[in-house]
Structure formats: structure tokens, C-alpha cells
Amino acid sequence: MFWRVASPKGSSNARPISWIVVSFGVVAVFLTFASWFILSNPIGSTFHGYFYGVENSASKASDFSVSQTNTTSVDLHMNANLDLVDNKPLADLQPSIVSSGVSSDNSKIEQTDTNSNSEVPFGESASPKIVPVTKEVNGLETSDAMASKAPIPVSATNSSIMKGCDLYHGNWIYDPLGPLYTNNSCPVLTQTQNCQGNGRPDKDYENWRWKPFQCDIPRFDPRKFLELMRGKTLAFIGDSVARNQMESMLCILWQAEEPENQGHRNIQRYYFKSTSVTIVRIWSSWLVKHNSEPFDFAPAGVEKIYLDSPDEMLMEFLPTFDIVVLSSGHWFTKQSAYILNNEIVGGQLWWPDKSRRMKINSVEAFGISVETIFTALVTHANYTGLTILRSYSPDHYEGGGWNTGGSCTGKTKPLSPGELVESKYLVAMYEQQVKGFNRAVKKTTNGSKMRLMDITEAFQYRHDGHPGPYRSTDPNKITKRGRDGRPPPQDCLHWCMPGPVDAWNEIMFEIIKREFDRDRTL
């Protein structure tokens, strides 16, 4: 029996309640289906974004900004100077040039605005403008905070890095896990960089890891690196600071496998049999051709730098390399004559005719040399590899140069932002390096790829990471200032191992992974 709804007087259209319930059910089913259809189609994604997608919308905006960054110019800035040379007594290492140094007397940063068109994808090169960092960025404490607080442990997770993350802006965070190796577990470590083996009393400089604001860089896993590089050759080419990075890489990889030394007089070569990976180092102090033979009015004995001719040995081996890491600059403080278009156009610590005007100085010569070598790489018919330019490595001589009383003795923790001081020399060298790189990239005719590994700003904070006076095992070496206040001879350019230099290889690992990921998606 059906229940009937009361109807107006005289009406014969009384309907059962069950019919009304069925009608509502049909409408509900229709609305449910329609909602599902809208949310499952392109237009639905828009609604889904409005209802649920604040993070998704931000992600889309971020993706757009990343793609736009590839074509925008960036501001380029930096700080400090000078170089030490391979396998020579310290007295022979640098010319008599006084570094402007870095002061720890709460000096403020002076900034110079210089634009340079970047050819490097976002994340491989970021603007290195030096600015005081706020106390917290994206929930992370900055190095200003860490200077006044207890050490901040870094995450020990090995999570993959965010694609597109800016690797070059962040801070140094204390890592209680310690370094990736010890000075006793690496047999190829150059003694002058073996700070613990040379008696340095403190060790905290080994524990600070570089932490980008936007992501975590995983700890370097040597086995994963060797597997990623299976069958490939990685070459480090440059001066003694390039050697510093190459030895850091070997020390890390040595923890997974001992390589075979296959080097000879002109080239260092280490072969990892399990994955057929080869690590190579070629000494090239200027990356361009040079000799000490007489030329025009420059006599024998003065080094001649041919700014428009790439290093011949580098070019000879280039087709055999899959990845090349180039770095240079510090030897441009050494006595030399600069030759361009078969003409002497300038000199460093050498110019016999004071009435004759030099056409270029050492900083400009550096920029030309960078453009020359990278142009040679991007136009080489038989090279299609990945080239990484490691940007200029800062030194930390305070109060003078290496031979005029400069010192980094007693530095035990990273600088805070307020302690950085601009060095016009470093700013100029850095800018010339990046400009030369960008000019060369525009000339690319082969399938090679160029990336800038922009470490200069981050490493200005690491005045604690140099050997200082701990350069040898000599038990009688002088490590403290004398009664007259003069510091002992010391190295404030190269990096202790283990130490900050290991971060270069962690960053480089990320760059290589990104490039290989891009190649797989093409």
C-alpha cells in the first residue's frame, strides 16, 4: 500500500512519496556523474586547482619562472684573490701583489652592480650577488644565525634533489656525520692540503656542508657516482686548485673502490675497473698556449701567454673525454707577457718600456683566455661532451698578500655575512670569467653542453677551510704570529682535505645527474 500526499481540494493528481524519492535519486546520480566528468577533464583540472591546488599552482608558477630564467640576465658579484703554484716552494708561488683581503672586524659588504647575460640554465648558474642574508629563509637558519648559535645538524637523508633547485644560494650547516673520508683513508692526498696530518689542532672545518635554500644536496655516494658514470671519462683541467678538486673526487671514490693508476708524465689517469670509469687530470695553468721562448721585445725567461690559442695538450686529449671540468685564473698574477693576434699587448709584473701603453691588463687577459678555450671546445668537430666551468675560487688572505703579511691563521668557523668585505680584484676576475664563458657559448656549433658551476660566492664564507700555516709535517714549523705580530708563511688559497672543497664535487654530481636526466628525456 502506498502512502499518498494530501492534495488540494478537488485535485485528482495525488502522487506517491516513493516517486518523489526516486526523482531526487536520479538528480543526485546526475550531479555526481557531472562532477566526476568535470574534474576528470582538462577544464576539471582548473577547478581542481582552485579547490585543492594552492601548492600545485605555485609549482606551475615556479616551472614558468625557471623556463624564463634561461633567457634573463643576472647580476654577478664576488670577493678576494691570488694563487699558489704546483710543486714549488711557497716563496716562488705568487708575485708581489697585495690582496685586499677579508676583514673579520664586522665590516659591511660593498656591492657593485654588473650585468652579464647568462647562457646557463637555472640551477647550473645563479646570480652570485652578495647580500646580508636574513635570519631565516624558507625555514632554514642562515650562516649569520649559525655564527652565534650551536651547530645545526644537517639532514642525513639521501633524498633526491629538486629539479631546478638553485644550487648556489644557501648557507653552511654543521653536519655531525662528519666528512666523506679522512686524511688517513686517502693515499693520493697532496701533503700540503693534509691539514690534520700537518698538525692543525681544530677539526670543525671538516663538518660544515653546503645547504641550498631550496633543497638538500644528498651526501656524495661514491658507488652511485661510479654507476652513473659507467664507461665514461671525467677530466679535471687547470692549475693546482683544479688538482685540489680532482684529489677530493679521488678521495671520495677511493672509499668505494681503489682505482688503478694508469697515468704517465703528462697526464694523471685513474681507472675504476668495476664500472670502467676514468678520472683524469691535466695540468694547464692558463688553459691557453704558453712558453718562455723570446718573442719580439719580450726576452727568454718571461712567460708568453698566447691569449687566442688554446692549450695544445688539452685539445689533443679532448675528444677522449665525456665530461671536462675547467678552472683557471690564479696564474694571471704571475709574471708574464700577453700576446694577442701575434702582438704583445700587455704584461703582468713585466713591461720594459714604461712610455709604451699596454692595451690590456691581467684581468682583461683572463677574460680573453676563457673565451678562447671555451670557443675551442664548443666548435671542436669531435667533442660532444659536457663541460663544466668551476668559477673563480676565492682566497682569504687578511691584512696583505701571501708575501706581505696576509694571514688566515686561527680561523675555525665560516664567516657570517656581516664579515665579508668586497675585493675589487675578485669581482673583476669573476666577471671577466663569466663574460668570457657566455661569449663563447654563443658560438656553439657542435653538440657539446656548457655549464657554469658557480661556487665563488658560497666559498667566500669559508676562510676557515685553508691550510694556513699547516702546510707540512715539519714538527718545527712556525704556526703562530711572532713577537712583532707578523704571521708565519701560509696557504690561504688551497683547501684542506677533507674540507670545503668536497662540496664542489657534491654540487658537480648534481649537475651531471641533471644533464644525464635531460639526455634520457630527449
Side-chain angles (χ1 to χ4, degrees):
M1 182 178 79
F2 295 112
W3 289 93
R4 298 183 180 274
V5 180
S7 58
K9 187 175 180 179
S11 170
S12 61
N13 296 325
R15 295 185 177 92
I17 292 177
S18 59
W19 184 88
I20 298 174
V21 172
V22 170
S23 299
F24 276 111
V26 170
V27 171
V29 170
F30 174 79
L31 291 174
T32 301
F33 177 81
S35 300
W36 172 84
F37 179 83
I38 290 172
L39 292 173
S40 301
N41 286 274
I43 191 171
S45 64
T46 304
F47 288 99
H48 192 272
Y50 285 127
F51 291 132
Y52 308 107
V54 175
E55 292 182 2
N56 184 57
S57 300
S59 174
K60 297 294 184 184
S62 176
D63 289 344
F64 176 78
S65 65
V66 168
S67 66
Q68 294 300 308
T69 307
N70 294 340
T71 58
T72 57
S73 62
V74 295
D75 290 335
L76 306 167
H77 308 274
M78 290 302 53
N79 174 15
N81 68 43
L82 302 186
D83 178 40
L84 304 176
V85 183
D86 227 11
N87 302 322
K88 289 190 178 183
L90 191 66
D92 298 332
L93 297 184
Q94 294 184 23
S96 302
I97 295 180
V98 178
S99 167
S100 60
V102 177
S103 170
S104 60
D105 300 327
N106 297 321
S107 302
K108 301 300 179 183
I109 302 163
E110 297 176 10
Q111 297 185 31
T112 305
D113 287 331
T114 304
N115 294 328
S116 176
N117 294 326
S118 175
E119 299 294 332
V120 192
F122 182 78
E124 273 68 77
S125 172
S127 168
K129 179 180 285 188
I130 305 171
V131 293
V133 187
T134 57
K135 291 291 182 182
E136 187 170 271
V137 180
N138 295 336
L140 301 173
E141 293 200 82
T142 68
S143 44
D144 188 22
M146 71 186 180
S148 59
K149 294 187 177 183
I152 307 165
V154 70
S155 171
T157 62
N158 230 16
S159 58
S160 60
I161 198 167
M162 289 167 47
K163 186 177 181 181
C165 166
D166 173 2
L167 300 176
Y168 309 112
H169 289 90
N171 54 44
W172 292 94
I173 297 179
Y174 192 87
D175 180 7
L177 294 180
L180 298 163
Y181 58 93
T182 70
N183 65 303
N184 291 322
S185 66
C186 182
V188 294
L189 197 163
T190 296
Q191 190 61 44
T192 52
Q193 274 80 72
N194 185 356
C195 297
Q196 289 299 305
N198 294 335
R200 180 166 171 171
D202 62 302
K203 288 193 69 174
D204 275 356
Y205 66 88
E206 296 183 345
N207 288 60
W208 295 93
R209 292 190 69 236
W210 177 246
K211 170 72 173 66
F213 290 135
Q214 300 174 348
C215 56
D216 288 305
I217 297 179
R219 284 175 66 86
F220 196 112
D221 186 324
R223 295 193 183 279
K224 287 184 178 179
F225 181 83
L226 289 172
E227 189 58 44
L228 179 71
M229 290 288 294
R230 179 176 288 275
K232 292 181 169 56
T233 296
L234 167 64
F236 294 89
I237 303 172
D239 56 21
S240 55
V241 184
R243 182 207 65 214
N244 209 169
Q245 183 179 0
M246 179 262 198
E247 289 182 354
S248 165
M249 173 63 77
L250 283 177
C251 288
I252 296 169
L253 297 181
W254 213 285
Q255 310 312 302
E257 179 182 346
E258 181 177 345
E260 298 176 7
N261 186 347
Q262 299 180 346
H264 52 76
R265 185 174 181 274
N266 293 324
I267 184 171
Q268 287 182 283
R269 187 187 299 272
Y270 290 87
Y271 178 72
F272 292 84
K273 189 174 181 179
S274 66
T275 52
S276 299
V277 171
T278 303
I279 306 296
V280 167
R281 174 181 172 252
I282 295 177
W283 173 266
S284 182
S285 40
W286 285 278
L287 299 180
V288 292
K289 177 182 175 181
H290 63 93
N291 60 49
S292 57
E293 298 171 4
F295 182 94
D296 197 4
F297 59 91
V302 175
E303 202 71 22
K304 318 300 183 305
I305 314 302
Y306 295 81
L307 298 174
D308 48 4
S309 298
D311 184 297
E312 293 159 333
M313 188 167 69
L314 187 165
M315 300 307 294
E316 176 187 347
F317 286 101
L318 182 65
T320 67
F321 301 146
D322 298 286
I323 299 174
V324 174
V325 182
L326 292 178
S327 55
S328 64
H330 295 287
W331 275 62
F332 280 84
T333 59
K334 184 179 174 67
Q335 185 190 60
S336 50
Y338 303 131
I339 300 171
L340 185 64
N341 297 323
N342 210 37
E343 175 191 359
I344 298 177
V345 293
Q348 170 66 13
L349 300 179
W350 173 87
W351 195 250
D353 187 355
K354 302 302 180 183
S355 66
R356 189 171 185 171
R357 188 180 69 86
M358 289 193 290
K359 294 183 179 180
I360 63 171
N361 59 31
S362 63
V363 176
E364 293 165 329
F366 174 49
I368 295 169
S369 74
V370 172
E371 182 176 359
T372 292
I373 187 59
F374 277 92
T375 298
L377 268 61
V378 300
T379 59
H380 194 293
N382 298 317
Y383 177 65
T384 58
L386 166 65
T387 305
I388 298 171
L389 171 60
R390 193 260 299 144
S391 68
Y392 197 80
S393 177
D395 71 43
H396 291 90
Y397 287 99
E398 291 185 16
W402 69 270
N403 59 346
T404 56
S407 171
C408 54
T409 300
K411 308 302 180 184
T412 59
K413 65 181 180 181
L415 282 161
S416 62
E419 294 175 315
L420 289 178
V421 172
E422 179 192 72
S423 163
K424 292 181 179 179
Y425 179 81
L426 179 62
V427 170
M429 290 292 281
Y430 174 85
E431 290 173 351
Q432 285 293 321
Q433 184 183 41
V434 175
K435 288 176 182 177
F437 173 81
N438 286 336
R439 286 193 294 262
V441 170
K442 294 176 182 177
K443 304 174 186 178
T444 303
T445 59
N446 57 22
S448 65
K449 298 178 286 291
M450 303 287 138
R451 299 292 178 259
L452 174 64
M453 192 173 93
D454 202 341
I455 57 85
T456 311
E457 178 183 353
F459 275 73
Q460 287 185 101
Y461 294 93
R462 294 310 309 272
H463 67 162
D464 59 318
H466 303 292
Y470 298 98
R471 302 175 295 116
S472 76
T473 57
D474 179 5
N476 298 315
K477 61 179 173 288
I478 301 172
T479 60
K480 297 181 180 180
R481 292 180 181 271
R483 293 182 178 178
D484 59 357
R486 290 182 61 83
Q490 54 193 283
D491 178 357
C492 301
L493 172 70
H494 295 99
W495 303 94
C496 290
M497 294 174 56
V501 67
D502 301 317
W504 291 356
N505 289 315
E506 290 193 319
I507 294 171
M508 189 181 71
F509 190 179
E510 292 301 325
I511 293 173
I512 294 172
K513 282 194 291 188
R514 291 182 185 189
E515 291 306 316
F516 286 7
D517 286 344
R518 285 192 184 104
D519 291 343
R520 282 193 291 267
T521 57
L522 293 178

